[in-house]
Structure formats: C-alpha cells, structure tokens
Amino acid sequence: MIGNGIANFDKVVEGLTSAVKMRYGALPEDEQEEIIRRRLICHSCPLVSHNAPTSQEYLKLYGKHYKTDREDEHCSCCSCPIESKSSSLSSSCGIKTYNEEHPDNKQELKWDVYKK
C-alpha cells in the first residue's frame, strides 16, 4: 500500500485535496457529481473492503477470501481509501491495479479517469 501511495503521490494529494474541497462545497458541480457517482459504485462494489471478505468476485479473481485488519473503507485491489480514491478525478477504478498484475485476465473497470 505504501509503495503504491508513494508511486502515485500526485494522485493521493489530488484525491485528498478534492475530498476536502468536496466537504466544503468548493468543487464545480460536475466534479461533485462525478465523485458522488464513483462513491456509490465503490460502496456497492464486491471488491470494496466491507464486501470483499465474502465476495465471490474477489474469490474468483484472487483464489482466496480477502482478509484485512484495516478499519477504513478501501479498495481490496489497490488498497486506496475510497474517499480519496474516488475524489482523484485523474485516477481509475482500483481494478486497474489488478489488471496490471494479471494482464491475462483483465477485468472491466467500474469507473475511469474523469474527462470534462
């Protein structure tokens, strides 16, 4: 997780900054709508941390059940916290990390880079 965060430091900062701006209504309406859309997708995703331990999709992809000691809501594929990941408009769904690690079994992204 730390390695991914360091490698994508600019996206982490973007996500954190946008999440704060979102809380204070300081983002354009279209960007707020996109972040909300992404969060709704993530919250119901079988690969989000609260769903992954019993998810058949996770089991099918990784061949085992997801286990974590983390208490925050995060993506089981890329380990990013959902609040900041979904707020980084230049980022793609965490399944992109799975696809990079498993190029012979690519999965469809649930959301991708936001283009105005």
Side-chain angles (χ1 to χ4, degrees):
M1 180 181 132
I2 292 174
N4 284 346
I6 292 171
N8 297 303
F9 185 74
D10 58 330
K11 294 187 184 307
V12 171
V13 170
E14 175 196 357
L16 293 172
T17 301
S18 291
V20 169
K21 287 181 178 179
M22 175 104 171
R23 272 191 218 124
Y24 294 99
L27 281 178
E29 189 173 332
D30 65 314
E31 292 180 13
Q32 290 182 46
E33 289 174 359
E34 175 62 12
I35 291 169
I36 291 167
R37 183 185 77 82
R38 289 174 174 204
R39 287 182 182 168
L40 289 171
I41 291 168
C42 291
H43 291 308
S44 64
C45 178
L47 302 173
V48 72
S49 57
H50 65 263
N51 292 333
T54 59
S55 166
Q56 291 303 307
E57 186 172 339
Y58 185 92
L59 181 61
K60 181 179 169 187
L61 292 177
Y62 291 98
K64 60 184 178 182
H65 289 287
Y66 182 68
K67 293 180 184 175
T68 185
D69 292 331
R70 288 176 61 180
E71 294 183 16
D72 66 315
E73 185 177 46
H74 60 277
C75 177
S76 66
C77 293
C78 69
S79 299
C80 292
I82 295 302
E83 182 178 17
S84 55
K85 177 73 170 188
S86 61
S87 299
S88 175
L89 297 174
S90 67
S91 293
S92 299
C93 165
I95 294 173
K96 182 177 180 184
T97 301
Y98 174 87
N99 288 343
E100 290 168 354
E101 295 169 355
H102 303 89
D104 57 331
N105 188 33
K106 290 197 177 207
Q107 303 296 306
E108 184 177 342
L109 300 179
K110 302 196 186 278
W111 50 266
D112 206 351
V113 174
Y114 179 63
K115 297 176 183 157
K116 293 184 180 191

